[in-house]
């Protein structure tokens, strides 16, 4: 296992964004956490240090915890391609999709258990009596057993799920259930995701949150965002007086680099284009191909200055996601079939992952620059890619699935697509928001308020402290 080093971040900064009562509550819970967790460590274990919502959240929640003098740590498990193929299949099954269609039998259990057995040894070298271990997502469920007898409290947190069960979800949960019998706590993002056999006593519902000061979400002057997009080679903008520097998560300064191979298909985005954009991993369930089809099939309904950007990580960069290259290829294949005048208006962007802070800053600049942000997922655990543009005051058009429904109040803080497969309905919503600037501005304003109210880190951290207090019976 590899430890990810996280520098502390002061809670005061977050408290400054909250009304006084809320800030006071946060500081008093931080004080309680300090007392409660004195001499203990909180070990988080997941499958990747970058790429995806869990890594995004661990980065900031750990920084705040460490800023509050809590010894929160992060370990990333070691896997191999066979293990990650299997856990991606499991991930897809829990979302109701067969994924690569492979089996989930004894041979798969053997792969899963043998990889986790060696990780378990390494984990046990770190964990001491009285510690708390937070295992994230299906890749880590098999570590619960090995922690029995360690004297640590073990919590398994599942960030994914589907609103309704089906044959695929049953198959996925059948595989995982035996590993989850001895957890002290189990956390889900929404009630609908919880399998019926989960013991109510151990269950907590904790939705994710966003950090307004992270490199991904920090306020950005228009000129600085534009300088970033121009220098990186993403958008064709005139040179201005914007800065190319940004604050890294450790507080140091980074500088945007020019990049050459950002476009998997399409050319540099014109500076005067109004951008409809989806940022996602190249995961089939995010339905990048559906967004592309809906856009080009209804292109005559969008004004000529409207362009589409599908943005994801460069595909070799996310080690636990073997599906990425395939999905990007599918998007490129669709793009190649388009007539030239349609190709001009569609841009497939693969952002480098070699510098996660620069990646986050580029996503930030793109989200600030976009006119409308979309998330047409077929299923979605929570969808930080919805929270992020909402915080930036952007109108968001997204599918009415999973955690997206908890974030967007339809017609108030964004627009929801009832049936995520409805390509025409999706285009209708886009037209509505592109044609009505007042509506777009109002949706964006309400979106930011909604995130401030419900999805900032204080609520998340307080829920954790409450759970730890209950588990430690103090
Ligand atoms: N993301 C990123 N770079 C990319 C694509 C995605 O940093 O090229 C981030 C995105 O901004 C968000 C996270 O990955 O913070 C995705 O989280 P989400 O909850 O939306 O979905 P998940 O990937 O966990 O299914």
């Amino acid at each position: 296992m590899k430890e990810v080093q996280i520098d502390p971040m002061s809670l005061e900064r977050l408290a400054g964004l909250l009304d006084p009562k809320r800030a006071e509550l946060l500081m008093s819970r931080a004080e309680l956490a300090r007392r409660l967790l004195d001499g203990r460590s909180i070990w988080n274990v997941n499958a990747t240090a970058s790429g995806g919502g869990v890594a995004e959240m661990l980065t900031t929640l750990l920084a705040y915890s460490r800023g509050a003098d809590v010894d929160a740590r992060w370990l990333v498990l070691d896997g191999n391609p066979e293990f990650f193929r299997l856990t991606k299949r499991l991930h897809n099954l829990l979302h109701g999709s067969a994924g690569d269609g492979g089996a989930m039998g004894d041979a798969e259990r053997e792969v899963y258990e043998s990889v986790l057995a060696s990780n378990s040894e390494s984990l046990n070298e770190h964990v001491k009596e009285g510690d708390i271990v937070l295992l994230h997502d299906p890749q880590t469920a098999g570590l619960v057993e090995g922690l029995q007898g360690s004297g640590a409290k073990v919590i398994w947190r599942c960030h994914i799920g589907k609103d309704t069960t089906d044959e695929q979800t049953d198959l996925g949960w059948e595989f995982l259930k035996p590993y989850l019998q001895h957890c002290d706590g189990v956390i889900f993002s929404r009630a609908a995701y919880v399998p019926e056999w989960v013991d109510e006593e151990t269950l907590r519902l904790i939705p994710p949150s966003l950090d307004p000061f992270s490199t991904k979400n920090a306020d950005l002057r228009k000129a600085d965002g534009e300088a970033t997009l121009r220098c990186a080679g993403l958008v064709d903008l005139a040179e201005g007086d914007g800065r190319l520097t940004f604050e890294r998560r450790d507080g140091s300064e980074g500088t945007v680099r020019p990049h050459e191979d950002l476009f998997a298909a399409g050319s540099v985005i014109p500076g005067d284009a109004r951008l409809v954009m989806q940022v996602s991993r190249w995961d089939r369930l995010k339905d990048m191909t559906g967004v592309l089809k809906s856009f080009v099939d209804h292109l005559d309904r969008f004004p000529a200055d409207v362009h589409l950007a599908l943005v994801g990580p460069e595909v070799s960069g996310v080690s636990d996601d073997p599906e990425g290259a395939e999905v990007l290829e599918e998007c490129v294949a669709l793009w190649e079939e388009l007539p030239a005048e349609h190709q001009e208006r569609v841009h497939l962007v693969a952002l480098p992952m070699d510098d996660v802070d620069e990646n986050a800053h580029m996503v930030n600049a793109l989200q600030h620059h976009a006119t409308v942000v979309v998330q047409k997922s077929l299923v979605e655990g929570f969808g930080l890619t919805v929270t992020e543009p909402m915080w930036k005051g952007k109108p968001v058009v997204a599918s009415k699935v999973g955690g997206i429904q908890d974030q967007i109040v339809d017609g108030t803080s964004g627009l929801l697509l009832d049936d995520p497969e409805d390509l025409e309905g999706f285009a209708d919503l886009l037209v509505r928001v592109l044609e009505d600037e007042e509506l777009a501005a109002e949706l964006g304003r309400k979106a930011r308020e909604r995130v401030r109210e419900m999805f900032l880190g204080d609520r998340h951290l307080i829920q954790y402290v409450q759970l730890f207090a209950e588990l430690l019976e103090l």
Side-chain angles (χ1 to χ4, degrees):
M1 285 196 173
K2 276 174 225 59
E3 180 157 8
V4 183
Q5 299 298 333
I6 300 286
D7 293 309
M9 202 154 63
S10 164
L11 272 180
E12 305 277 346
R13 193 146 92 141
L14 179 59
L17 265 185
L18 310 173
D19 68 51
K21 238 174 138 182
R22 220 170 119 177
E24 205 177 297
L25 182 66
L26 174 64
M27 298 322 262
S28 77
R29 289 302 182 274
E31 180 52 40
L32 172 65
R34 253 191 303 278
R35 268 190 286 127
L36 201 63
L37 301 170
D38 187 30
R40 307 174 195 269
S41 302
I42 302 176
W43 297 96
N44 287 270
V45 185
N46 84 323
T48 177
S50 64
V54 178
E56 182 73 20
M57 263 186 306
L58 286 179
T59 307
T60 52
L61 289 177
L62 260 77
Y64 283 127
S65 305
R66 298 181 70 79
D69 287 333
V70 169
D71 186 34
R73 310 282 197 96
W74 180 0
L75 298 169
V76 174
L77 57 76
D78 291 319
N80 55 39
E82 206 182 3
F83 175 81
F84 287 129
R85 247 194 325 276
L86 165 66
T87 55
K88 181 73 196 196
R89 190 180 305 151
L90 194 49
H91 175 96
N92 281 324
L93 285 171
L94 297 178
H95 280 136
S97 154
D100 66 3
M104 291 304 282
D106 292 345
E108 285 71 27
R109 277 199 195 281
E110 225 175 284
V111 170
Y112 185 76
E113 288 172 14
S114 76
V115 166
L116 291 180
S118 55
N119 280 284
S120 196
E121 274 174 33
S122 147
L123 179 59
N124 276 295
E125 282 167 21
H126 291 93
V127 174
K128 60 182 188 310
E129 189 167 350
D131 284 356
I132 294 175
V133 184
L134 273 159
L135 303 170
H136 296 267
D137 276 337
Q139 298 95 328
T140 65
L143 293 169
V144 175
E145 203 57 42
L147 287 160
Q148 298 303 300
S150 67
K153 297 286 181 194
V154 182
I155 302 165
W156 184 67
R157 179 164 184 181
C158 187
H159 296 267
I160 61 176
K162 183 167 177 270
D163 297 332
T164 51
T165 57
D166 58 30
E167 242 176 73
Q168 319 290 359
T169 58
D170 288 350
L171 190 62
W173 284 117
E174 207 178 286
F175 185 89
L176 280 179
K177 185 177 170 187
Y179 304 114
L180 297 169
Q181 298 307 307
H182 302 290
C183 298
D184 298 292
V186 174
I187 303 175
F188 279 85
S189 301
R190 4 182 33 222
Y193 297 167
V194 185
E196 62 196 15
W197 43 263
V198 170
D199 177 4
E200 289 254 332
E201 289 272 302
T202 61
L203 173 69
R204 298 292 183 288
L205 296 178
I206 306 184
S209 62
L210 159 149
D211 179 42
F213 300 107
S214 69
T215 312
K216 169 96 37 88
N217 297 311
D219 286 344
L220 201 54
R221 277 195 329 139
K222 191 166 187 283
D224 296 345
E226 291 189 350
T228 293
L229 298 174
R230 188 186 57 77
C231 167
L234 282 162
V235 183
D236 186 13
L237 289 154
E239 197 159 349
D241 65 349
R243 284 187 301 245
L244 288 175
T245 51
F246 58 90
E247 188 180 325
R248 292 185 177 279
R249 63 182 169 184
D250 67 1
S252 66
E253 191 175 272
T255 306
V256 182
R257 301 164 296 175
H259 294 278
E260 269 174 9
D261 307 318
L262 293 178
F263 290 90
S267 52
V268 176
I269 301 161
D272 56 359
R274 280 192 289 162
L275 204 58
V276 172
M277 180 179 76
Q278 175 159 309
V279 176
S280 286
R281 286 180 300 106
W282 303 98
D283 177 316
R284 221 162 255 119
L285 298 173
K286 309 285 183 185
D287 203 22
M288 292 285 221
T289 54
V291 177
L292 202 161
K293 282 184 203 152
S294 169
F295 186 77
V296 295
D297 287 353
H298 300 90
L299 204 53
D300 54 348
R301 298 175 58 199
F302 304 123
D305 64 337
V306 176
H307 283 231
L308 172 70
L310 298 177
V311 181
E314 172 246 318
V315 284
S316 59
V318 184
S319 58
D320 67 332
D321 193 355
E323 207 178 74
E326 258 172 56
V327 174
L328 178 55
E329 258 171 49
E330 285 163 21
C331 292
V332 172
L334 277 177
W335 183 91
E336 280 169 351
E337 284 166 18
L338 299 175
E341 67 272 25
H342 289 188
Q343 284 180 340
E344 264 172 33
R345 294 177 58 190
V346 178
H347 312 264
L348 304 186
V349 180
L351 291 177
M353 293 292 288
D354 61 329
D355 178 341
V356 284
D357 295 325
E358 188 200 40
N359 177 285
H361 179 62
M362 289 197 280
V363 170
N364 193 6
L366 280 166
Q367 286 171 336
H368 272 93
H369 185 72
T371 301
V372 185
V373 176
V374 302
Q375 190 60 51
K376 208 190 84 58
S377 302
L378 303 175
V379 279
E380 187 60 74
F382 181 71
L384 279 175
T385 49
V386 169
T387 336
E388 289 159 1
M390 283 176 78
W391 176 248
K392 287 152 198 155
K394 293 290 162 179
V396 180
V397 173
S399 309
K400 191 178 175 185
V401 293
I404 295 176
Q405 306 160 77
D406 301 330
Q407 301 187 61
I408 293 180
V409 179
D410 190 22
T412 304
S413 44
L415 298 181
L416 290 177
L417 176 69
D418 286 333
D419 171 6
E421 312 258 12
D422 176 6
L423 300 188
E424 185 170 355
F426 184 63
D428 291 342
L429 296 181
L430 277 180
V431 169
R432 206 171 128 199
V433 80
L434 283 164
E435 276 182 352
D436 187 342
E437 274 181 29
E438 236 168 76
L439 171 71
E442 184 59 12
L443 292 175
R445 205 180 56 72
K446 291 269 169 51
R448 184 169 170 102
E449 280 320 302
R450 175 94 177 149
V451 175
R452 187 195 302 276
E453 197 187 311
M454 298 186 68
F455 301 111
L456 295 186
D458 60 323
R459 187 265 307 148
H460 202 159
L461 290 163
I462 288 171
Q463 282 186 292
Y464 264 142
V465 176
Q466 198 166 337
L467 170 59
F468 298 160
E470 285 163 15
L471 284 184
L472 297 170
E473 290 172 355
L474 293 171

